[in-house]
Amino acid sequence: MSIIEKAAGKLGQKKVEVTPLPEIKAKSLNNPISKAHDALGARTPDRQIQKRVEINLTQLHHLGMVTPDQGKTLVAEEFRLIKRPLIKNAFNQGAGPIKHGNLIMVTSSLPKEGKTFCAINLAMSIAMEMDHTVLLVDADVARPSVLRTLGLKSETGLMDILLDDKLDLADVMLKTNVETLSILPAGKSHKHATELLASQIMSSLLDEIANRYPDRIVIFDSPPLLLTTEASVLASHMGQIIMVVEAETTTQHAVKDALRQIETCANINLVYNKAKAFPGGNYYGYY
Ligand SMILES: Nc1ncnc2c1ncn2[C@@H]1O[C@H](COP(=O)(O)OP(=O)(O)OP(=O)(O)O)[C@@H](O)[C@H]1O
Ligand SMILES: [Mg+2]
């Protein structure tokens, strides 16, 4: 039994799903300039969003990440497994109705376990579905890295909306060259970021996001749970949480502490990331 399975067991009867995700080897980057465009074609474009950015899909593919057009890669197959139950729950096709089921946070105990890697791959994988649109939110406001990883320059975003009530979501959201994927950047850093994320304005904003875009899945890339309080504040608003656990690195103690901080959420899924080999034959375990 792996450490995350043991830790999950300690949570009592709560159902926790565990998915192993292997370490993905990046390829050498021959052609960093991408003219790639969304192979899925334009579908219900978000008309209110003004800004448009071009994600470097070729670079992303060479980094070993999920991109449209690349067929059956190992990472794409893994994220296909990870997203299935999340999509079901988001649209209440699971066991029962989930409040804000379409709001999904990706978090972990400690830095560098793969939160941003998983958040981007998950967002891209869901955006490739025929009938789902995705909003990827960089909620790691102290150390944002979604835009950088996607090869984009920093932009105004979440923090700016929280600080300026004249700004609308659509003013800062970014449409991308993957027609079904838009991004809400973290925006400018602020010394009271935690208080802002815990504020009533943030709570109303999350309600607005969940209700204004009920057909959209919203993925939040978050800071680590054990080093900040932002992540647990955010967790209290989420319908579903993905907790990334780094294989052979994160201790059982850290996993248990982190799970305790998000126990208000009834739908927690664990991803066993950077696994060198799959532990056992089963992809999913219920505890
Ligand atoms: N399954 C994987 N296979 C290969 N590389 C991975 C995998 N998961 C993460 N990485 C790499 O590990 C590094 C850390 O990942 P990432 O930035 O996603 O972590 P993080 O948890 O978001 O870190 P932080 O807490 O600093 O925000 C990155 O270089 C990323 O590309
Ligand atoms: Mg990160």
Side-chain angles (χ1 to χ4, degrees), residues 21-24 111-117 140 143 273-274:
L21 177 66
E23 186 172 29
I24 308 296
K112 302 285 167 222
E113 293 192 74
K115 295 176 288 298
T116 303
F117 179 88
D140 191 351
R143 298 174 62 242
N273 193 29
K274 309 189 195 178

